Amino acid sequence: MSLPKFAASRSFHVELKNRINHYFEETGKSTAGSTGLLSKAVILLAAFVALYVHLVFFTPAPVWALLEAVVLGGTIAAIGFNVMHDGAHGSFSDHKWLNNIAAFTLNVLGGSSYMWNAKHNLVHHMYTNIDGADDDIDIQPWMRMSLEQKRYKLHRFQHLYFWFLYCLLYISWIFVMDYQKYFKRKIGTIALKKMELTDHLVFWGFKVLNLGLYIGLPIYMLGFTSWLIGFVVVTCFAGLVLSLVFQLAHTVETAAFPVPDAKNKLEDEWAIHQIKTTANFATDNRVISWLVGGLNFQVEHHLFPKISHVHYPAISKIIKQACREFNVTYNEFPRMRYAIASHVGFLRQMGRA
């Protein structure tokens, strides 16, 4: 498909940028992460290593091993939210090399930082919730996430079985989707930028390393059955957490799914499009905010992805005020459970409409 064009007017986006720039100039703060974020990254990465080593080399009793496997899955998701995500957007640190290291953690965790940059930073952040462009809402034929997608009989029950599919996200990501993108050279219908030799070497080098770290070595140390149980628990919990956080941001009843007109143009300018297609949840819950790396502030993130999530609580007040003045609806759920209920409602609607 040819990529749609946004409306030419950018007055709202310009006003937002001016106000946010004024905030950072007035406070003297850097737009990057704080020392607190660096400390959090160290804690999460150390926890990942400690849990992996303990499970593989000093395996505890089955009940404790299962609990540790759940925590390891959650830690993987937390590293993705707090470290990799900010690093990939260049907002983790003022230092480019530290951003690169933070983004590179995805390769160690089983994914591909190259594919993530193309899929998430370049496509999803530009064409959010546009069917045929945003790969995040392309879960066909298993789920229907847009009225423009074909509806099958099984979709009538997708609001019930989505939990199972979300558990499979991490496994399918590292073992299927990365390879599909690599060999097809496409993110959905959008062509990948040509990969350099180093990109190919990093992709294959870490895929092989991950097979050794997460399959070969654990099977050798633990045996096949123990490895399989632990691997399923870790990856399924990580997949469920990752899926829920990202889906609650865009596939809820209040989010828009814009369709280009006959001339392939969209109704809104880019910034308004981002607000209409995105929703926040549980922004007053400090525990959730800490664990998900501020990704419950998705409106702020989509408008200013190069600003670290540690600043989202502050700049959200500025963005809300601007939305009120420009009569732009700001989507937000005060509790995470309300967002989950809205996501279930959305899936039910998509399965029956």
Side-chain angles (χ1 to χ4, degrees):
M1 66 172 288
S2 58
L3 296 174
K5 305 293 183 183
F6 293 97
S9 174
R10 294 179 294 175
S11 58
F12 179 68
H13 195 198
V14 170
E15 180 62 24
L16 276 181
K17 288 193 291 186
N18 288 338
R19 295 187 187 189
I20 298 301
N21 288 338
H22 177 71
Y23 165 79
F24 283 103
E25 289 171 1
E26 189 175 51
T27 60
K29 295 180 179 179
S30 165
T31 58
S34 60
T35 54
L37 178 57
L38 184 59
S39 300
K40 188 201 293 192
V42 172
I43 292 171
L44 291 173
L45 293 170
F48 171 79
V49 173
L51 287 164
Y52 175 88
V53 170
H54 192 243
L55 282 168
V56 175
F57 296 98
F58 306 95
T59 311
V63 173
W64 289 109
L66 289 174
L67 288 174
E68 284 190 26
V70 171
V71 175
L72 179 57
T75 302
I76 289 172
I79 291 171
F81 296 144
N82 291 275
V83 184
M84 182 280 291
H85 192 248
D86 270 21
H89 282 292
S91 64
F92 181 82
S93 169
D94 286 318
H95 303 289
K96 185 177 180 180
W97 63 271
L98 199 50
N99 283 321
N100 291 339
I101 291 175
F104 207 79
T105 56
L106 180 57
N107 296 299
V108 180
L109 296 177
S112 166
S113 57
Y114 183 91
M115 297 304 167
W116 173 264
N117 178 63
K119 167 188 168 66
H120 183 77
N121 294 7
L122 303 180
V123 177
H124 169 68
H125 268 268
M126 179 60 71
Y127 304 105
T128 313
N129 278 10
I130 299 176
D131 182 52
D134 186 358
D135 189 61
D136 279 13
I137 60 170
D138 184 8
I139 317 178
Q140 302 177 77
W142 313 109
M143 296 182 71
R144 184 178 187 236
M145 309 298 277
S146 163
L147 289 175
E148 280 60 55
Q149 296 175 356
K150 184 176 180 179
R151 182 167 62 89
Y152 296 99
K153 289 182 179 179
L154 79 160
H155 294 151
R156 186 174 180 84
F157 307 101
Q158 66 179 9
H159 65 287
L160 301 174
Y161 65 70
F162 78 94
W163 299 99
F164 172 73
L165 289 184
Y166 287 3
C167 285
L168 299 180
L169 168 71
Y170 190 57
I171 294 176
S172 61
W173 180 358
I174 61 180
F175 289 124
V176 179
M177 292 188 288
D178 274 348
Y179 292 105
Q180 286 179 333
K181 293 173 176 59
Y182 181 89
F183 288 110
K184 289 182 179 180
R185 297 289 191 267
K186 288 182 178 180
I187 304 292
T189 59
I190 301 172
L192 273 175
K193 183 181 69 174
K194 183 179 178 181
M195 297 177 71
E196 302 295 334
L197 176 61
T198 53
D199 298 322
H200 289 287
L201 292 175
V202 168
F203 181 89
W204 286 109
F206 276 90
K207 287 299 184 183
V208 172
L209 176 64
N210 292 325
L211 290 175
L213 282 175
Y214 305 127
I215 298 179
L217 181 59
I219 289 177
Y220 176 77
M221 295 297 299
L222 307 172
F224 181 81
T225 302
S226 295
W227 161 78
L228 182 61
I229 294 172
F231 184 77
V232 169
V233 171
V234 170
T235 55
C236 283
F237 189 70
L240 178 62
V241 173
L242 288 165
S243 294
L244 276 179
V245 170
F246 284 114
Q247 293 294 359
L248 296 185
H250 303 291
T251 53
V252 289
E253 293 165 304
T254 56
F257 288 76
V259 178
D261 63 18
K263 296 182 179 180
N264 205 28
K265 291 184 178 180
L266 294 161
E267 178 183 0
D268 297 308
E269 63 168 278
W270 178 83
I272 294 177
H273 172 91
Q274 295 304 317
I275 294 176
K276 286 184 175 181
T277 57
T278 307
N280 287 358
F281 63 90
T283 54
D284 290 332
N285 190 314
R286 293 188 178 183
V287 175
I288 289 177
S289 295
W290 193 93
L291 291 172
V292 305
L295 290 180
N296 49 336
F297 288 88
Q298 278 283 339
V299 172
E300 288 67 33
H301 174 61
H302 266 255
L303 289 170
F304 298 98
K306 292 188 179 299
I307 294 177
S308 174
H309 71 267
V310 301
H311 303 293
Y312 292 164
I315 69 173
S316 68
K317 299 178 177 64
I318 300 171
I319 294 170
K320 285 181 180 179
Q321 179 60 35
C323 286
R324 285 191 289 267
E325 294 176 17
F326 281 78
N327 197 29
V328 177
T329 300
Y330 183 100
N331 297 315
E332 185 170 27
F333 296 94
R335 300 286 184 269
M336 186 173 184
R337 63 180 181 272
Y338 299 161
I340 292 175
S342 185
H343 179 58
V344 172
F346 168 80
L347 292 178
R348 184 187 291 112
Q349 178 186 346
M350 290 297 104
R352 299 178 181 182

Short mmCIF file of all heavy atoms in Angstrom, two decimals, residues 204-224:
data_model
loop_
_atom_site.label_atom_id
_atom_site.label_comp_id
_atom_site.label_asym_id
_atom_site.label_seq_id
_atom_site.Cartn_x
_atom_site.Cartn_y
_atom_site.Cartn_z
N TRP A 204 22.11 -12.46 13.07
CA TRP A 204 22.35 -13.90 13.13
C TRP A 204 23.22 -14.29 14.33
O TRP A 204 23.00 -15.35 14.94
CB TRP A 204 22.99 -14.39 11.83
CG TRP A 204 21.99 -14.44 10.71
CD1 TRP A 204 21.93 -13.62 9.63
CD2 TRP A 204 20.88 -15.34 10.60
NE1 TRP A 204 20.86 -13.95 8.83
CE2 TRP A 204 20.20 -14.99 9.40
CE3 TRP A 204 20.40 -16.38 11.38
CZ2 TRP A 204 19.06 -15.68 8.99
CZ3 TRP A 204 19.27 -17.07 10.97
CH2 TRP A 204 18.61 -16.71 9.78
N GLY A 205 24.18 -13.45 14.67
CA GLY A 205 25.05 -13.76 15.80
C GLY A 205 24.27 -13.91 17.09
O GLY A 205 24.47 -14.86 17.86
N PHE A 206 23.36 -12.97 17.34
CA PHE A 206 22.60 -13.02 18.58
C PHE A 206 21.47 -14.04 18.54
O PHE A 206 21.09 -14.59 19.58
CB PHE A 206 22.07 -11.63 18.95
CG PHE A 206 23.10 -10.81 19.69
CD1 PHE A 206 23.99 -10.00 19.00
CD2 PHE A 206 23.20 -10.88 21.06
CE1 PHE A 206 24.95 -9.27 19.67
CE2 PHE A 206 24.15 -10.15 21.75
CZ PHE A 206 25.04 -9.35 21.05
N LYS A 207 20.93 -14.32 17.36
CA LYS A 207 19.94 -15.38 17.27
C LYS A 207 20.57 -16.72 17.64
O LYS A 207 19.97 -17.54 18.36
CB LYS A 207 19.34 -15.44 15.86
CG LYS A 207 18.38 -14.30 15.54
CD LYS A 207 17.17 -14.29 16.46
CE LYS A 207 16.17 -13.21 16.07
NZ LYS A 207 15.01 -13.14 17.00
N VAL A 208 21.78 -16.96 17.17
CA VAL A 208 22.49 -18.19 17.51
C VAL A 208 22.85 -18.22 19.00
O VAL A 208 22.68 -19.23 19.68
CB VAL A 208 23.76 -18.36 16.65
CG1 VAL A 208 24.61 -19.53 17.14
CG2 VAL A 208 23.39 -18.56 15.18
N LEU A 209 23.34 -17.08 19.51
CA LEU A 209 23.69 -16.98 20.93
C LEU A 209 22.48 -17.26 21.81
O LEU A 209 22.57 -17.98 22.82
CB LEU A 209 24.24 -15.59 21.24
CG LEU A 209 24.55 -15.30 22.72
CD1 LEU A 209 25.67 -16.21 23.21
CD2 LEU A 209 24.93 -13.83 22.91
N ASN A 210 21.33 -16.72 21.43
CA ASN A 210 20.12 -16.91 22.22
C ASN A 210 19.66 -18.36 22.23
O ASN A 210 19.13 -18.85 23.24
CB ASN A 210 19.00 -16.01 21.69
CG ASN A 210 19.28 -14.54 21.94
OD1 ASN A 210 19.87 -14.20 22.95
ND2 ASN A 210 18.90 -13.68 21.02
N LEU A 211 19.84 -19.05 21.11
CA LEU A 211 19.50 -20.47 21.08
C LEU A 211 20.33 -21.24 22.10
O LEU A 211 19.85 -22.17 22.75
CB LEU A 211 19.72 -21.05 19.68
CG LEU A 211 18.74 -20.58 18.59
CD1 LEU A 211 19.15 -21.14 17.23
CD2 LEU A 211 17.32 -21.03 18.91
N GLY A 212 21.59 -20.83 22.23
CA GLY A 212 22.46 -21.47 23.21
C GLY A 212 22.10 -21.11 24.64
O GLY A 212 22.03 -21.97 25.52
N LEU A 213 21.84 -19.82 24.89
CA LEU A 213 21.55 -19.35 26.25
C LEU A 213 20.20 -19.82 26.78
O LEU A 213 20.08 -20.16 27.96
CB LEU A 213 21.58 -17.81 26.28
CG LEU A 213 22.95 -17.13 26.30
CD1 LEU A 213 22.78 -15.63 26.22
CD2 LEU A 213 23.73 -17.52 27.55
N TYR A 214 19.19 -19.81 25.93
CA TYR A 214 17.84 -20.06 26.41
C TYR A 214 17.30 -21.45 26.07
O TYR A 214 16.24 -21.83 26.57
CB TYR A 214 16.89 -18.99 25.87
CG TYR A 214 17.37 -17.60 26.20
CD1 TYR A 214 17.51 -16.63 25.22
CD2 TYR A 214 17.71 -17.26 27.51
CE1 TYR A 214 17.98 -15.35 25.53
CE2 TYR A 214 18.17 -15.99 27.83
CZ TYR A 214 18.30 -15.05 26.84
OH TYR A 214 18.76 -13.79 27.15
N ILE A 215 18.02 -22.19 25.22
CA ILE A 215 17.59 -23.55 24.89
C ILE A 215 18.70 -24.57 25.17
O ILE A 215 18.54 -25.47 25.99
CB ILE A 215 17.13 -23.64 23.42
CG1 ILE A 215 15.93 -22.72 23.18
CG2 ILE A 215 16.76 -25.09 23.07
CD1 ILE A 215 15.42 -22.71 21.77
N GLY A 216 19.83 -24.41 24.49
CA GLY A 216 20.90 -25.39 24.58
C GLY A 216 21.45 -25.58 25.98
O GLY A 216 21.44 -26.70 26.53
N LEU A 217 21.94 -24.51 26.60
CA LEU A 217 22.55 -24.61 27.93
C LEU A 217 21.55 -25.05 29.00
O LEU A 217 21.87 -25.95 29.79
CB LEU A 217 23.18 -23.27 28.31
CG LEU A 217 23.89 -23.22 29.68
CD1 LEU A 217 25.01 -24.25 29.74
CD2 LEU A 217 24.43 -21.81 29.95
N PRO A 218 20.34 -24.49 29.06
CA PRO A 218 19.38 -24.96 30.08
C PRO A 218 19.01 -26.43 29.92
O PRO A 218 18.84 -27.13 30.92
CB PRO A 218 18.17 -24.04 29.86
CG PRO A 218 18.74 -22.81 29.24
CD PRO A 218 19.84 -23.29 28.36
N ILE A 219 18.86 -26.91 28.68
CA ILE A 219 18.54 -28.32 28.49
C ILE A 219 19.69 -29.18 28.99
O ILE A 219 19.49 -30.22 29.64
CB ILE A 219 18.25 -28.62 27.00
CG1 ILE A 219 16.92 -27.99 26.59
CG2 ILE A 219 18.21 -30.13 26.74
CD1 ILE A 219 16.56 -28.17 25.12
N TYR A 220 20.91 -28.77 28.70
CA TYR A 220 22.10 -29.51 29.15
C TYR A 220 22.17 -29.56 30.67
O TYR A 220 22.50 -30.61 31.26
CB TYR A 220 23.35 -28.85 28.58
CG TYR A 220 24.65 -29.48 29.06
CD1 TYR A 220 25.10 -30.68 28.53
CD2 TYR A 220 25.40 -28.87 30.06
CE1 TYR A 220 26.28 -31.27 28.98
CE2 TYR A 220 26.58 -29.44 30.52
CZ TYR A 220 27.01 -30.64 29.97
OH TYR A 220 28.17 -31.21 30.43
N MET A 221 21.84 -28.45 31.33
CA MET A 221 21.96 -28.37 32.78
C MET A 221 20.75 -28.98 33.51
O MET A 221 20.89 -29.57 34.58
CB MET A 221 22.11 -26.91 33.22
CG MET A 221 23.38 -26.24 32.74
SD MET A 221 24.88 -26.99 33.39
CE MET A 221 24.66 -26.74 35.15
N LEU A 222 19.56 -28.85 32.94
CA LEU A 222 18.35 -29.20 33.66
C LEU A 222 17.62 -30.43 33.11
O LEU A 222 16.81 -31.03 33.82
CB LEU A 222 17.36 -28.02 33.64
CG LEU A 222 17.88 -26.67 34.12
CD1 LEU A 222 16.85 -25.58 33.84
CD2 LEU A 222 18.20 -26.73 35.60
N GLY A 223 17.87 -30.76 31.86
CA GLY A 223 17.07 -31.79 31.21
C GLY A 223 15.94 -31.15 30.42
O GLY A 223 15.53 -30.02 30.71
N PHE A 224 15.41 -31.87 29.44
CA PHE A 224 14.44 -31.29 28.53
C PHE A 224 13.15 -30.87 29.22
O PHE A 224 12.65 -29.77 29.00
CB PHE A 224 14.12 -32.28 27.40
CG PHE A 224 13.15 -31.74 26.40
CD1 PHE A 224 13.57 -30.90 25.38
CD2 PHE A 224 11.80 -32.05 26.48
CE1 PHE A 224 12.67 -30.38 24.46
CE2 PHE A 224 10.89 -31.54 25.56
CZ PHE A 224 11.33 -30.71 24.55
#
